[in-house]
Amino acid sequence: MRQKFTGKPNMNQRTITKRANAKMLAVRFSVATIFAFAWHAAVAGTLSGIVKNNSGQTVEGVMIRLSDPVSGMSESVFSNASGEFTLTTALTGQLTVRLRTPYHRDVSTTVDLDDNAVVYNEFLMEVMTDEVEISNSLPAAYHFGSLNFETGEDAVFSRYQFQRDCLSCHQMGNSLSRFPRTPEQWEITIERMHKYVRSNFDEELRKRRSHILSEGFNGEPLTVRPEFPLDDSLSRAKIYEYRMEKGIIPHDAIVNPNDGLIYTVDQGANHMAITDPETGKTEYVSQEGGSLWLPFWKTKTMNWPFERYGPHSLAMGLDGKYYTTNAFANSIGVFNPKTREWEPSIFAGVRAIYPHTVRIDKKGIVWFTIAANERVGRVDPVSKESTLIDLPDAESGGLAGGSMPYGIDINPADGSIWYSRLFGDKIGRIDPDTLKVQEFDSPVRGPRRMRFNQQDGTLWVTGYSEGRLARLTTSSNGFESKVYALPEFAEGYGPAPYALGVHPKTGDVWLNENMTDRFFRFIPEEERFAVYPAPLTGTYTRDFSFTKDGKACTSNNPLPMAALEGGIGEILCIEIMEELPST
């Protein structure tokens, strides 16, 4: 049971208006409060306070989330080592407050925050003691990681293979997917999932996997107790959320450098979502028509609409337009942000089955991976000419029916094209002039998305299957690499890093990790990770993009959307405020 508060003033809640005594404010507010006012000079009000547990101890790292039910916007900060927090915001009116931290029950209340109001709260959080309650509060990673995987490098259903095969689009082990089912019930789901990756499985293999899931997700509480680190920068972090009410699968999102709006392609709703961070409002511009869904998407248990483009990834061209991979239409979509209209798509070719990730080189050429047909494609947006580049044969790992060309990016130094093959454990290079292809063994298993640092040319690659981050120094002959293991909050329960972005100012590498409801920031100079909790359980994010003032933004869109707490897709942006000089 969650502890409920009415939000009405009481002994633990005091409201101080702008007319309050200055000395009183000085007592109540720390240096962090003063800094918050400097950071948000033109805001409406401030919520501050202290958090303690039921033993009277202050609690560090508590997420304090303030939500406006009208705009759908939320803002979150974290308590410091003294249990104190300050949240200065432009949100006004009656707002919802929720406190959350591991192994404690949530606290919920409401607060009225008018212009220039300052509200101080003292919150009490109860420590969880019930094993079932604790187990249910743990992220999906620990339920999934407790399955009885087969062992050995050649095992068909090892943890590594299971993670790559089964977690590519959604969490497994969250509240929606871990409820007890019989092996026969699981087999129906497994058959559908296998068809997504064009696999040919015999009945015996399906039965083995269904038994592993049925025996593991049996309703018994977990005994594992992960310990989540509290980075020094956590109390300087602030998270912004913008709901996308009409989202079905809001996939990749990009911050437009020209207008500051966030553009998100929705693979399920067939539209471009345009979010204004100032107001929280989102406009939706639909793609009309489209082609048939590919045959391998049609299963006995899945009856989607037939007319879909399925925009999946997007990148801004030299002309200021967005070019999208239309995964279900073998084409590249063209969206004009000035007119807010979709222009005619560019057909990529019959063999361009499931265009996946897209990037654009310095000449304006659109490059993209083709996930279902072992190719990389390129399109000239002026001539509309399309070229498909065959990739070398690669052995498929796991139980997939192909290597799945996945991530792609452009080397800022020489314009070479680099790509990954998720199920093939390969990293490739394409010469943009000769189209010569070279492939190399990946330094990490399950290489997924990749990004170059535009300043120093370092290539960063996520190792999805084993929770790794690779730093590659590339050349025309290959690369040198160094690999970093993401933190395991419990030994043997590895994370699943999907995509990443390189901060253009700091060079920090922001990774989304899709099983622990957390973000990771890798600081190259210090060779260490900082971890930040996400506001919602069931979080599944995609590519990172950055605002002019340094926020790291991504979309939050698990499959299905009901797996996300609240059931509504959103844009997330996180900022790390600078430290004040020591005095």
Side-chain angles (χ1 to χ4, degrees):
M1 294 290 292
R2 292 182 177 178
Q3 185 175 356
K4 298 291 185 180
F5 290 85
T6 64
K8 298 179 180 179
N10 54 42
M11 292 184 64
N12 290 330
Q13 179 178 344
R14 284 165 286 175
T15 301
I16 306 173
T17 69
K18 61 182 179 181
R19 298 182 296 273
N21 185 280
K23 292 183 179 180
M24 191 175 189
L25 288 175
V27 173
R28 292 297 182 192
F29 288 85
S30 62
V31 173
T33 307
I34 299 171
F35 175 76
F37 274 115
W39 186 271
H40 299 278
V43 295
T46 298
L47 172 67
S48 67
I50 190 169
V51 186
K52 299 180 180 180
N53 62 24
N54 48 348
S55 297
Q57 299 172 320
T58 58
V59 187
E60 181 183 4
V62 176
M63 177 187 292
I64 299 91
R65 181 176 185 254
L66 196 64
S67 301
D68 179 4
V70 177
S71 68
M73 299 170 66
S74 298
E75 298 180 8
S76 301
V77 297
F78 299 86
S79 61
N80 62 19
S82 301
E84 298 171 321
F85 70 90
T86 299
L87 201 169
T88 306
T89 179
L91 301 180
T92 59
Q94 188 172 72
L95 308 176
T96 300
V97 184
R98 189 208 66 201
L99 279 69
R100 174 172 292 171
T101 197
Y103 305 115
H104 293 71
R105 292 175 179 167
D106 284 2
V107 170
S108 297
T109 185
T110 58
V111 63
D112 289 318
L113 208 58
D114 297 324
D115 290 346
N116 299 318
V118 178
V119 177
Y120 182 86
N121 285 268
E122 296 176 358
F123 288 104
L124 179 67
M125 300 192 75
E126 293 185 5
V127 177
M128 293 180 182
T129 57
D130 181 74
E131 289 188 358
V132 173
E133 184 179 24
I134 294 172
S135 179
N136 289 338
S137 73
L138 295 178
Y142 307 100
H143 296 271
F144 172 75
S146 296
L147 296 176
N148 186 24
F149 301 107
E150 296 178 354
T151 58
E153 285 296 315
D154 297 327
V156 177
F157 296 132
S158 65
R159 159 108 191 208
Y160 155 66
Q161 303 287 20
F162 235 104
Q163 183 153 311
R164 185 175 57 181
D165 287 356
C166 298
L167 309 184
S168 291
C169 298
H170 56 85
Q171 291 185 344
M172 178 169 283
N174 58 24
S175 59
L176 194 67
S177 61
R178 68 172 182 259
F179 64 89
R181 283 182 266 185
T182 66
E184 292 74 22
Q185 290 171 325
W186 269 112
E187 195 168 349
I188 296 172
T189 300
I190 291 169
E191 180 181 3
R192 180 177 71 248
M193 298 302 294
H194 285 181
K195 289 182 179 179
Y196 290 168
V197 289
R198 301 180 295 121
S199 304
N200 295 316
F201 300 137
D202 60 38
E203 185 177 357
E204 178 59 30
L205 288 177
R206 288 200 302 268
K207 287 184 180 297
R208 283 168 58 191
R209 180 168 275 183
S210 67
H211 278 276
I212 292 174
L213 291 168
S214 181
E215 292 168 5
F217 296 146
N218 57 13
E220 295 296 319
L222 300 180
T223 57
V224 61
R225 296 293 182 264
E227 296 181 5
F228 300 103
L230 298 176
D231 190 78
D232 288 342
S233 64
L234 184 60
S235 61
R236 294 185 285 109
K238 187 173 185 179
I239 300 175
Y240 302 81
E241 299 171 75
Y242 312 98
R243 290 192 308 191
M244 291 187 285
E245 303 282 352
K246 296 182 181 180
I248 296 178
I249 312 175
H251 214 276
D252 290 357
I254 289 183
V255 179
N256 189 311
N258 301 318
D259 59 24
L261 304 179
I262 303 171
Y263 291 74
T264 308
V265 285
D266 195 306
Q267 192 174 13
N270 221 42
H271 64 224
M272 178 74 78
I274 308 169
T275 303
D276 185 345
E278 293 296 323
T279 65
K281 295 181 179 179
T282 297
E283 177 185 347
Y284 305 90
V285 184
S286 177
Q287 280 183 298
E288 299 297 331
S291 65
L292 298 180
W293 285 69
L294 298 176
F296 69 86
W297 283 84
K298 295 172 63 178
T299 72
K300 297 177 182 178
T301 57
M302 187 174 184
N303 185 25
W304 291 76
F306 286 101
E307 295 286 328
R308 285 288 184 269
Y309 284 100
H312 180 279
S313 177
L314 76 166
M316 178 176 281
L318 300 185
D319 54 8
K321 298 177 182 178
Y322 282 114
Y323 292 86
T324 72
T325 47
N326 290 337
F328 307 142
N330 298 33
S331 66
I332 300 299
V334 184
F335 183 82
N336 190 330
K338 292 184 178 179
T339 63
R340 297 198 174 182
E341 293 178 339
W342 288 94
E343 298 182 357
S345 298
I346 304 171
F347 185 59
V350 175
R351 297 186 302 165
I353 302 175
Y354 207 108
H356 195 276
T357 305
V358 62
R359 301 287 182 257
I360 298 176
D361 68 18
K362 292 182 179 180
K363 297 180 180 179
I365 301 299
V366 180
W367 294 83
F368 52 96
T369 49
I370 301 172
N373 211 349
E374 310 303 318
R375 291 176 172 85
V376 167
R378 50 172 278 172
V379 162
D380 186 329
V382 177
S383 68
K384 315 301 182 186
E385 180 182 355
S386 173
T387 304
L388 303 184
I389 303 163
D390 294 335
L391 302 183
D393 292 338
E395 183 179 354
S396 178
L399 296 176
S403 73
M404 191 170 285
Y406 204 100
I408 190 170
D409 206 7
I410 317 294
N411 189 326
D414 62 9
S416 57
I417 316 303
W418 290 77
Y419 63 87
S420 62
R421 300 175 83 170
L422 176 64
F423 290 98
D425 288 343
K426 296 289 185 181
I427 301 291
R429 178 187 188 272
I430 301 175
D431 186 297
D433 298 318
T434 66
L435 302 187
K436 176 184 176 182
V437 180
Q438 301 167 277
E439 282 201 349
F440 316 95
D441 290 335
S442 172
V444 288
R445 297 192 292 186
R448 200 154 185 183
R449 285 202 164 161
M450 52 174 55
R451 285 285 190 178
F452 276 97
N453 182 320
Q454 296 299 308
Q455 304 304 317
D456 63 16
T458 301
L459 179 60
W460 297 92
V461 184
T462 55
Y464 186 70
S465 303
E466 56 184 1
R468 300 288 188 270
L469 172 66
R471 180 205 300 247
L472 276 57
T473 303
T474 64
S475 70
S476 59
N477 298 317
F479 54 78
E480 296 180 355
S481 64
K482 185 171 184 179
V483 176
Y484 305 91
L486 272 70
E488 288 188 352
F489 307 129
E491 186 176 356
Y493 293 79
Y498 173 168
L500 52 80
V502 181
H503 198 290
K505 295 180 181 178
T506 66
D508 292 349
V509 182
W510 283 87
L511 302 94
N512 63 325
E513 194 289 314
N514 285 333
M515 292 290 286
T516 61
D517 297 334
R518 278 160 174 76
F519 311 113
F520 289 67
R521 177 170 66 108
F522 182 74
I523 306 168
E525 292 79 6
E526 303 174 20
E527 295 190 314
R528 72 176 183 88
F529 290 92
V531 181
Y532 307 94
L536 301 176
T537 59
T539 287
Y540 201 98
T541 52
R542 311 286 174 167
D543 257 357
F544 270 105
S545 181
F546 302 91
T547 63
K548 284 186 177 181
D549 60 1
K551 298 182 184 72
C553 299
T554 181
S555 62
N556 194 1
N557 62 337
L559 279 174
M561 194 63 74
L564 180 65
E565 181 181 358
I568 298 174
E570 62 177 4
I571 295 293
L572 291 166
C573 294
I574 180 170
E575 68 176 338
I576 309 299
M577 303 180 193
E578 296 179 2
E579 290 185 273
L580 285 175
S582 58
T583 57

